Amino acid sequence: MKHITLLAAMAVSTFAMAQKEVGSATHHAGLGIHFSGERGPIDTLIPPSLAAGNFALYTSTSSGYVAGTNNFGDLAKVQVFNSTGTIHVEQLLFLFGARDENGTPNAMVHARVYSLDGPGTNTADASVSTAPGTVLGNMDIPISACDTTDLTIATFFPSITLSGNFGGGFDVSDLAAGTELGLITSSDNDPGTADDQNWEECSDGTWFTMSNATSSWGLHVDLAILAVLDDGF
């Protein structure tokens, strides 16, 4: 079992987004992000427990980052987004909190949109067929371009058309040993998190939810990955 540590000393103020209520919508002034239950021409989907701004960066005591690369060889991290009907994913937005290029600034991180049609192991340690599976879209980002002070933006052109729930995440399988990238998450067990909404791909290619206490991290968090959608017009 891996052990984790919360880096409480990180500069949370960078990501402490000012909020103001406007009708049923909320605006995060620090990032210029708008999210609402009402569909508009462009919407940004935000994992629910992150809406309160409770950010954390968890690191492994065995070196590396829980939501990123580490010595255990984790390959990918994915946040699930629940949706109905046909949607068009234009961008994925990431909040990275730490980075070590290890002398390889051009090593590629793969931003990806996934169908949830793959085999995996859920929070209850049961086998499911709703883990990240088919890669619907990919954009390569040099690790040197993964910003630790602002959003890192992956734009898909053309946008990715899909129907129903999907996963947004990043793959670090092509990073060299010793290269590290840490993603911000919500704090463990924050209200608003739901089971089986975050996944990690282990070094052998198997997928586990990060909240799986038997076989994986046992962290009940949302990942700081946002999805920008448009209505197709």
Side-chain angles (χ1 to χ4, degrees), residues 1 26 29 46 66 123 162 177 203 214:
M1 176 65 71
T26 301
I46 297 178
V66 177
T123 302
L162 54 88
S203 57
T214 302

Side-chain angles (χ1 to χ4, degrees), residues 188-212:
D188 192 20
N189 286 317
D190 267 356
T193 55
D195 287 340
D196 306 333
Q197 296 293 291
N198 54 73
W199 293 85
E200 68 174 10
E201 184 181 15
C202 301
S203 57
D204 61 358
T206 58
W207 287 91
F208 288 89
T209 54
M210 290 181 63
S211 55
N212 183 297

Side-chain angles (χ1 to χ4, degrees), residues 126-217:
S127 296
V128 296
S129 58
T130 53
T134 304
V135 176
L136 302 176
N138 177 85
M139 179 187 173
D140 294 343
I141 305 172
I143 188 172
S144 57
C146 293
D147 200 327
T148 56
T149 62
D150 203 346
L151 286 169
T152 298
I153 302 173
T155 301
F156 302 96
F157 186 82
S159 60
I160 301 163
T161 302
L162 54 88
S163 181
N165 298 348
F166 67 97
F170 65 105
D171 181 295
V172 292
S173 59
D174 286 338
L175 298 186
T179 307
E180 296 180 341
L181 187 65
L183 186 74
I184 301 297
T185 72
S186 62
S187 299
D188 192 20
N189 286 317
D190 267 356
T193 55
D195 287 340
D196 306 333
Q197 296 293 291
N198 54 73
W199 293 85
E200 68 174 10
E201 184 181 15
C202 301
S203 57
D204 61 358
T206 58
W207 287 91
F208 288 89
T209 54
M210 290 181 63
S211 55
N212 183 297
T214 302
S215 304
S216 191
W217 283 103

